[in-house]
Amino acid sequence: MSMADLVRAGAPELPEGYFYRVRSTNIRSLKVEIREQRRFRSRLVADTWVFERPDESAEESIVKACDRAFKGWQEADAVRASYLAVTAYLGDHDPKGGR
């Protein structure tokens, strides 16, 4: 299954340079990862467990996990952006206006 197939099934589309990886774990479960492609390797940016339910198809379970991973990634980016905005105020603030 390609990323285009996942997106057609309802998974969020990722920006250029990012991809989904569905992998098996040691505890007989699946994980969905969002990874950033680098020159030689890829870097994990978000992941979540796949919850398999008897009333859902495998595709639905994977798409829901892709959606959760994407939302978690976006929330983490918002927190990071907020932190970077606050760091502009780091340092001493001279009450006389500085010299």
Side-chain angles (χ1 to χ4, degrees), residues 3 14-15 17-21 33-37 42:
M3 187 157 79
L14 299 178
Y18 293 85
F19 63 94
Y20 291 110
R21 176 180 288 167
E33 300 176 343
I34 296 177
R35 302 188 71 85
E36 178 185 18
Q37 185 61 53
S42 62

Side-chain angles (χ1 to χ4, degrees), residues 27-96:
I27 58 170
R28 253 187 74 213
S29 188
L30 297 177
K31 257 190 167 179
V32 167
E33 300 176 343
I34 296 177
R35 302 188 71 85
E36 178 185 18
Q37 185 61 53
R38 299 281 181 104
R39 184 174 180 161
F40 296 110
R41 302 183 110 184
S42 62
R43 176 181 75 93
L44 175 69
V45 294
D47 67 346
T48 190
W49 296 99
V50 175
F51 302 122
E52 301 164 26
R53 296 201 168 97
D55 60 329
E56 289 180 343
S57 69
E59 184 178 72
E60 288 174 318
S61 297
I62 297 293
V63 167
K64 284 183 178 181
C66 290
D67 190 48
R68 283 194 314 276
F70 185 78
K71 286 178 181 171
W73 179 37
Q74 297 303 305
E75 289 170 5
D77 272 354
V79 168
R80 193 169 17 264
S82 175
Y83 171 76
L84 289 175
V86 171
T87 60
Y89 296 96
L90 288 175
D92 296 336
H93 299 276
D94 185 359
K96 296 178 183 175

